[in-house]
Amino acid sequence: MLPPDNTANASPSGAPQPWQDVARLLSMLDGAGLGLWSWNVQRGAMHWSLGTGKLFGLSAPLLELSPDRYLELIVPEDRPHIQTAVCSMLTGAESRFSFRHRVCWPDASVRWLEIDGQRQVNEDGQTVLVGVIRDITDRHIQAQALEDSQERLELALASAELGNWEWHIPSDRLYASSRASELQGLVEGPFDGSFREFFRSVAANDRKTMRAAYSDLLAGRRQTYQATYQANHPDGTIRHLESTAKLYRDERGTPLRMAGIIIDATERVLRAQHLAASEAKFSALFQGSPDPISLSRIRDGVFMEINPSFSVVFGWESADVVGRSAPEIGIWQDERQRKYLFEQLMRDQRLENAEAQFRTRTGQFVTCVVSSRFIRVDRRLCIVTTFRDITKRQQAEAALKASEVKFAKAFHSSPDAIIISERGTGRFIEVNEGFQRLSGYSPEEAIGRTSYELGVWPSTQRQEILERLERDGRVTNWEMVGQDRHGRLKHIEVSVEPIVLNNTDCLLLSARDISQLKAAHAQIHHLAYHDPLTNLPNRTLLMDRLTQQTALHKRHKLRGALLFLDLDHFKHINDSLGHPVGDAVLKMITARLEASIRQEDTVARLGGDEFVVLLTGLTGKRSEVTRHVRQVAEKLRTLLAEPMVFEGNRLQVTPSIGIALMPDHGETPADLLKRADIALYRAKDAGRNAIQLFRTTMQQAASARLQLESELRLALQRNEFELYLQPQVDARSARVIGAEVLLRWHHPVDGVRSPAQFIDVLEESGLIVEVGNWVIREACRIAASLLVDGVVDSDSFSLCVNISPRQFRQSDFVERVLEALKAVSLPHAMIKLEITEGIVIQNLDDTIAKMRRLCRQGVSFAMDDFGTGYSSLTYLKRLPVDVLKIDQSFVRDALDDPNDAEIIRAIVAMARSLRLEVIAEGVEQQAQLELLQAQGCHLYQGYLFSRPIPPADFGELLKTHSLS
């Protein structure tokens, strides 16, 4: 408080004046409720102001009093305390002092006074106590109320078993109640120490959580501090505590203190943990149960939850079911059954293994065993229901029953014999009708007896069955010999399984009669090694015997021979008289061969009309053996060529025979057979009805031919073939009217090879078809190129292409020719196809049909090599042929041989009468041309005009010839 303003009483000079008005000063203190006092200790006199007396409840002024009188004014209970305080004040070293006491006013009210003062020494050297007195009754009452409130708070906290604490943040001092200290596991009684010391028992992980919560509180992310942590007591016990506190800040917002409470949450946490564990177990059981489980409300039947197995069995997902009732989703097959079981549940308070039918989401029906219980979830009464799908079990039971019925039916109706017997005694317990058919004994005769007593099979075989069972556990398809009641032996196939019936070890035996099967197997085995028509050994058996004989001959230094026979033109017999006659001829040939050889020799049929005679055990020199083998072969040739009569037809079949000696011509069966075949091929080439002994040169020729065929296949792939053109000329105008297309082969090593060296191989191997198609396509391309170059005229020029008989016989021959013409847009009249008489005679009707189809498309035909084959005017006049080509053999000798000249004249005259053109081949001399012209043949080709030349040279020849 500042002193009062005295400017009004200032001296005229304006200088300040001291406080000399004591009365005024005391009046101001009295107004402020303060009393002044002084006490001269040596004199024992106490003086105070009028305001001080009022504080003591005195109505009359009392300016001076003794210490005893002062003590009388104090409440008796406080007097000892004041006396002690005064003594301490007088003897102590401190100059300042303060104490409180009560006084009793005349109205019996009690007031609290606070005395503050100090010890001084006056100018006389005497000790003087001076000070002020103030009434603190109201403040004391407030403090007492606060203390009472604090006491009541502590009592409330103690009754709630709560501990309280307060943390002064700047000093890091923390006060905690006894209960808080006890919960933390610290000293007995209240705690007063550092913050860290109070929380030292908290687990490390929980400290991090508490620090994070405190950081959130400081950052303003939360308004109240709350943390649950674990305190580890020194005795090893663990407490789960929950602390809640509030943060207080100073006027600057700096954290000042925190006050909070601690509660023991151990029981609650453990209960929550146990509940969580229980819920986890329930959830695991609920979710992991293999049986469907549902949770539904009792009041409306709405599903609250289902487990995954529910979805698996019934097909509905949780989103489809939860929130809906069973009738809504239609899961019950029979609504009446659902109501009945619900009434049973309400009556008995449980449902145990009730069988019910349900419908899946896909409309299928399943049968389940249902069990239900009441449970409370969130204080609501619910039903937990477990479904056990027994559909498969019912199906299995039904299948078992059906299986038993089937077994009974199979047992009694099986064609096999089925027997159930005791394992120890062998006594028959049950037999079926199949056993009666097999053994001749009826079930009534067999049951109760043993196989030994019935004599159906020897006892030794039963003992062997038991030994096999002991070793292998079962017997499968074991062949044995038994007999029926009449003593007839039978081959039987037995299978045995051990079974248990009525706690008795038994045997289930099935047996079937395989006598006919064994005979059939023997027949099949025979057919596998013999020809079914002639009953002769086939190729397989022949090779087996050859292998044996080769080894035997090598060991004993013997010789042998392989005669490979083929019947000449046997196909004609089949084609003309039919296969039955052909088969009869083959059987006759077989009989003649078997009658003409020794018993140790072998006759085999390889197929068709091919036979092999194996002569074994020959001795002597090679020349002697060769002579003997030739004699046998000649004997066979003569015998087989003798006439035979079938169905009124007198037939004569001649053989061609190839001979290979062993071991001279091969040490393996394959080599011997191959070389005998090579010799046979040479015998056919020699004119048939002949005998040829294998020679090395034959092998070389066969190898060369095989090599040639292989090279020809590669030649087509490598484009080694080329077409040459030989001009065809009209001698009257010297004009080139066409050309014959000739095939050439440019061998990569041997150079150009003559067609005579490979055409036959192409024909025999079948390559002529593919090569012939290429020739047609290439000829069309060349003709189109000549036409584009303008060196030929489509109306007066044509290319002649030779057609192979095998190529012509292809079913798609006409289509291939037309396709080649279409591919290059070539006028059809520019292609002339040359056929031989050999094509015509094979199938005249087919030949004519194909020729006429092509003629209708503009393609023309020429008859090549006319006069050298089976020329016939009958078929010639039917063929749509435009040109006859005189073979060069007639032209070559026409100047020297009058017969050839006469043939030429006849051919020309015949062609003129049939209105056909004639072209002569092989004209090399001018005299030959003049002779031909004299006979009326003006068209020719040959070296006289030009050799065959490549297409490019042919084009140049046409250009040069047209200029000349």
Side-chain angles (χ1 to χ4, degrees):
M1 174 181 290
L2 295 176
D5 189 1
N6 295 322
T7 55
N9 300 321
S11 62
S13 61
Q17 294 183 2
W19 287 69
Q20 297 177 354
D21 192 347
V22 175
R24 183 180 179 186
L25 175 61
L26 292 175
S27 177
M28 293 176 63
L29 291 174
D30 289 342
L34 296 176
L36 296 179
W37 63 274
S38 68
W39 180 24
N40 190 316
V41 178
Q42 280 78 12
R43 289 175 55 191
M46 182 178 295
H47 301 272
W48 56 21
S49 64
L50 292 177
T52 304
K54 292 179 180 180
L55 294 176
F56 277 85
L58 301 177
S59 57
L62 183 61
L63 301 177
E64 182 177 350
L65 73 166
S66 65
D68 293 335
R69 176 64 178 145
Y70 174 77
L71 290 175
E72 289 176 359
L73 297 176
I74 300 174
V75 174
E77 290 83 4
D78 294 345
R79 291 171 186 172
H81 166 66
I82 296 301
Q83 288 177 340
T84 301
V86 170
C87 292
S88 176
M89 177 181 59
L90 294 174
T91 59
E94 294 291 334
S95 62
R96 299 189 67 84
F97 58 87
S98 176
F99 55 87
R100 300 173 184 177
H101 61 74
R102 291 171 291 174
V103 294
C104 186
W105 281 16
D107 60 359
S109 62
V110 178
R111 309 293 290 183
W112 278 90
L113 301 179
E114 184 180 58
I115 295 89
D116 289 319
Q118 63 180 0
R119 188 174 63 240
Q120 298 178 352
V121 179
N122 61 12
E123 62 272 9
D124 296 331
Q126 296 177 341
T127 302
V128 180
L129 301 180
V130 296
V132 296
I133 299 176
R134 62 174 61 88
D135 189 342
I136 63 168
T137 302
D138 292 338
R139 191 177 70 181
H140 182 78
I141 292 173
Q142 292 176 354
Q144 185 64 42
L146 177 62
E147 183 177 351
D148 292 343
S149 175
Q150 183 69 24
E151 183 178 355
R152 287 194 300 270
L153 175 62
E154 289 184 358
L155 288 174
L157 292 175
S159 64
E161 296 186 343
L162 298 177
N164 64 296
W165 57 271
E166 184 173 350
W167 175 35
H168 187 258
I169 297 174
S171 64
D172 196 33
R173 298 292 294 178
L174 186 143
Y175 168 79
S177 66
S178 298
R179 177 60 177 169
S181 180
E182 176 193 351
L183 292 176
Q184 287 292 133
L186 302 176
V187 296
E188 294 184 2
F191 174 84
D192 187 3
S194 68
F195 178 89
R196 295 181 182 275
E197 177 65 19
F198 184 74
F199 287 105
R200 73 175 187 273
S201 62
V202 178
N205 291 336
D206 290 340
R207 290 179 189 175
K208 294 181 181 179
T209 304
M210 296 170 70
R211 283 195 290 269
Y214 180 66
S215 297
D216 291 343
L217 187 65
L218 292 179
R221 289 188 289 270
R222 61 169 64 185
Q223 300 301 318
T224 303
Y225 171 86
Q226 185 173 8
T228 301
Y229 57 91
Q230 180 176 302
N232 301 315
H233 289 198
D235 60 358
T237 60
I238 297 175
R239 289 279 187 175
H240 295 276
L241 307 178
E242 183 180 287
S243 180
T244 304
K246 187 174 182 180
L247 176 67
Y248 297 90
R249 302 176 185 266
D250 61 14
E251 60 274 7
R252 294 187 303 274
T254 303
L256 180 62
R257 65 188 182 91
M258 283 183 68
I261 61 171
I262 299 176
I263 186 172
D264 187 355
T266 303
E267 183 178 351
R268 188 190 70 194
V269 170
L270 293 178
R271 186 168 58 249
Q273 289 177 351
H274 293 159
L275 179 61
S278 176
E279 290 178 349
K281 290 179 181 178
F282 175 77
S283 177
L285 291 173
F286 185 84
Q287 298 296 332
S289 172
D291 294 331
I293 303 177
S294 69
L295 183 66
S296 58
R297 291 198 299 258
I298 190 172
R299 61 182 176 85
D300 55 10
V302 169
F303 287 105
M304 300 171 62
E305 190 172 356
I306 62 172
N307 69 343
S309 295
F310 189 97
S311 299
V312 172
V313 173
F314 297 113
W316 280 285
E317 297 298 330
S318 178
D320 304 323
V321 174
V322 173
R324 303 172 65 190
S325 64
E328 287 181 285
I329 65 174
I331 191 173
W332 286 80
Q333 181 182 349
D334 188 349
E335 181 64 18
R336 292 174 300 176
Q337 186 181 35
R338 183 189 71 82
K339 292 180 179 179
Y340 171 77
L341 292 180
F342 180 74
E343 292 173 357
Q344 182 179 344
L345 171 64
M346 298 301 292
R347 183 181 65 250
D348 300 337
Q349 295 297 297
R350 63 171 53 197
L351 191 63
E352 292 286 354
N353 298 328
E355 189 173 308
Q357 286 70 42
F358 298 90
R359 182 185 294 106
T360 68
R361 186 174 188 175
T362 58
Q364 297 177 334
F365 295 104
V366 295
T367 302
C368 296
V369 171
V370 182
S371 297
S372 297
R373 294 288 188 278
F374 292 117
I375 63 171
R376 287 193 178 273
V377 177
D378 296 333
R379 293 179 295 179
R380 289 181 297 183
L381 192 60
C382 301
I383 302 174
V384 61
T385 302
T386 302
F387 307 81
R388 178 164 297 171
D389 186 1
I390 62 170
T391 306
K392 292 184 178 179
R393 189 187 75 187
Q394 288 184 329
Q395 293 173 349
E397 291 174 353
L400 179 60
K401 292 179 181 178
S403 177
E404 291 174 351
V405 173
K406 290 179 182 178
F407 175 78
K409 290 182 179 179
F411 182 85
H412 292 290
S413 62
S414 172
D416 296 339
I418 302 179
I419 305 164
I420 300 177
S421 63
E422 291 181 351
R423 182 166 184 165
T425 64
R427 184 173 57 86
F428 291 166
I429 299 175
E430 187 72 41
V431 298
N432 68 344
E433 295 178 2
F435 176 81
Q436 183 174 356
R437 290 190 295 270
L438 179 66
S439 65
Y441 291 100
S442 66
E444 293 76 11
E445 294 174 315
I447 293 175
R449 304 173 67 184
T450 65
S451 59
Y452 177 75
E453 293 172 349
L454 297 177
V456 290
W457 50 73
S459 59
T460 55
Q461 291 188 336
R462 182 179 186 279
Q463 184 59 35
E464 188 171 351
I465 288 176
L466 294 176
E467 292 174 357
R468 285 174 175 263
L469 283 173
E470 190 68 27
R471 184 181 70 243
D472 303 329
R474 63 189 305 181
V475 176
T476 305
N477 300 332
W478 180 49
E479 293 186 12
M480 57 184 291
V481 178
Q483 62 183 17
D484 60 13
R485 69 185 306 163
H486 305 294
R488 291 189 293 262
L489 295 179
K490 293 186 177 182
H491 290 276
I492 302 172
E493 185 178 76
V494 175
S495 295
V496 185
E497 292 280 353
I499 61 173
V500 177
L501 292 179
N502 299 325
N503 298 323
T504 303
D505 291 335
C506 299
L507 298 179
L508 175 64
L509 182 147
S510 61
R512 65 176 57 182
D513 186 357
I514 60 171
S515 301
Q516 294 182 354
L517 183 61
K518 294 282 287 185
H521 283 173
Q523 179 66 18
I524 291 172
H525 183 271
H526 179 80
L527 292 176
Y529 292 97
H530 291 80
D531 173 54
L533 177 64
T534 62
N535 204 33
L536 291 175
N538 59 11
R539 180 186 293 270
T540 302
L541 183 55
L542 173 66
M543 299 301 282
D544 183 63
R545 290 187 181 179
L546 266 175
T547 301
Q548 296 176 8
Q549 291 298 323
T550 299
L552 184 64
H553 283 54
K554 185 175 182 179
R555 185 180 305 115
H556 297 287
K557 296 182 180 180
L558 299 174
R559 294 181 179 275
L562 203 64
L563 279 62
F564 204 139
L565 289 79
D566 183 89
L567 304 182
D568 301 330
H569 303 298
F570 178 75
K571 185 175 182 300
H572 294 168
I573 297 176
N574 280 333
D575 293 343
S576 58
L577 301 179
H579 287 280
V581 175
D583 292 345
V585 170
L586 293 176
K587 291 180 180 179
M588 178 61 73
I589 295 298
T590 299
R592 291 181 178 182
L593 289 174
E594 289 182 320
S596 304
I597 62 172
R598 302 170 302 171
Q599 187 174 1
E600 61 267 28
D601 296 332
T602 300
V603 177
R605 182 188 178 206
L606 301 187
D609 58 348
E610 293 181 340
F611 294 85
V612 171
V613 176
L614 173 61
L615 303 178
T616 59
L618 303 180
T619 58
K621 297 181 180 180
R622 176 174 176 175
S623 58
E624 296 174 351
V625 172
T626 301
R627 183 170 56 255
H628 173 72
V629 171
R630 282 186 176 275
Q631 291 173 356
V632 173
E634 182 61 32
K635 175 184 175 183
L636 294 177
R637 188 188 68 80
T638 304
L639 179 63
L640 296 182
E642 292 181 357
M644 56 187 77
V645 178
F646 292 100
E647 298 181 358
N649 298 297
R650 187 175 184 276
L651 303 176
Q652 185 174 14
V653 180
T654 60
S656 297
I657 303 176
I659 302 173
L661 301 177
M662 63 180 197
D664 305 86
H665 294 150
E667 296 184 352
T668 66
D671 287 341
L672 287 169
L673 198 60
K674 178 179 66 176
R675 285 160 187 171
D677 191 17
I678 291 173
L680 172 63
Y681 185 79
R682 282 303 180 92
K684 287 180 173 292
D685 281 350
R688 303 180 185 271
N689 193 20
I691 299 172
Q692 286 287 340
L693 179 66
F694 174 78
R695 290 189 295 274
T696 305
T697 55
M698 295 181 184
Q699 177 75 52
Q700 294 172 351
S703 299
R705 184 189 177 283
L706 183 62
Q707 178 66 24
L708 179 60
E709 181 179 338
S710 177
E711 291 178 349
L712 285 171
R713 294 184 186 277
L714 291 175
L716 186 60
Q717 299 174 9
R718 297 172 179 173
N719 297 319
E720 295 175 0
F721 291 115
E722 185 180 358
L723 295 185
Y724 275 44
L725 304 180
Q726 185 171 40
Q728 294 176 336
V729 185
D730 189 341
R732 293 169 295 190
S733 61
R735 180 172 57 88
V736 178
I737 61 169
E740 181 178 359
V741 176
L742 300 174
L743 182 64
R744 294 293 184 267
W745 177 21
H746 287 273
H747 193 277
V749 178
D750 301 336
V752 179
R753 302 190 68 167
S754 170
Q757 297 177 341
F758 63 85
I759 289 295
D760 290 343
V761 177
L762 286 176
E763 185 74 32
E764 293 172 4
S765 64
L767 285 172
I768 192 65
V769 174
E770 193 172 355
V771 174
N773 292 333
W774 175 85
V775 169
I776 292 175
R777 293 193 301 270
E778 185 67 9
C780 292
R781 187 193 65 80
I782 292 172
S785 178
L786 294 174
L787 190 61
V788 170
D789 292 341
V791 295
V792 298
D793 186 353
S794 61
D795 295 330
S796 60
F797 182 88
S798 62
L799 283 184
C800 294
V801 181
N802 290 283
I803 302 300
S804 159
R806 186 186 290 257
Q807 179 186 7
F808 190 87
R809 287 196 298 269
Q810 297 299 308
S811 60
D812 61 346
F813 172 74
V814 175
E815 287 74 13
R816 287 185 177 273
V817 173
L818 296 177
E819 182 181 350
L821 290 166
K822 182 180 180 181
V824 294
S825 301
L826 183 69
H828 296 186
M830 290 189 67
I831 291 296
K832 189 183 297 292
L833 303 181
E834 295 189 6
I835 62 174
T836 62
E837 294 171 296
I839 293 177
V840 177
I841 64 173
Q842 290 182 359
N843 191 336
L844 181 61
D845 293 336
D846 179 66
T847 301
I848 293 174
K850 290 179 179 178
M851 292 176 68
R852 286 180 176 172
R853 285 179 60 192
L854 287 169
C855 287
R856 285 195 294 269
Q857 297 295 327
V859 180
S860 59
F861 285 89
M863 180 66 73
D864 194 18
D865 301 334
F866 187 76
T868 60
Y870 302 95
S871 301
S872 171
L873 293 177
T874 301
Y875 67 71
L876 183 60
K877 69 178 183 178
R878 294 177 57 190
L879 296 175
V881 176
D882 301 311
V883 178
L884 296 181
K885 299 190 73 174
I886 302 174
D887 189 72
Q888 61 182 346
S889 61
F890 300 131
V891 176
R892 183 175 54 249
D893 300 330
L895 296 176
D896 301 323
D897 189 343
N899 293 328
D900 288 340
E902 187 60 27
I903 291 174
I904 292 173
R905 186 192 64 76
I907 292 174
V908 172
M910 181 179 59
R912 187 181 298 114
S913 65
L914 295 175
R915 297 180 181 179
L916 302 176
E917 293 284 351
V918 181
I919 297 179
E921 297 179 310
V923 178
E924 300 178 357
Q925 302 176 25
Q926 183 64 33
Q928 293 172 340
L929 178 58
E930 292 173 355
L931 185 147
L932 290 168
Q933 287 185 298
Q935 300 297 334
C937 177
H938 304 287
L939 306 180
Y940 73 96
Q941 65 184 72
Y943 286 7
L944 177 62
F945 184 83
S946 172
R947 292 174 174 270
I949 55 179
D953 295 344
F954 183 78
E956 293 299 325
L957 182 146
L958 290 177
K959 292 178 183 179
T960 303
H961 190 69
S962 62
L963 291 175
S964 60

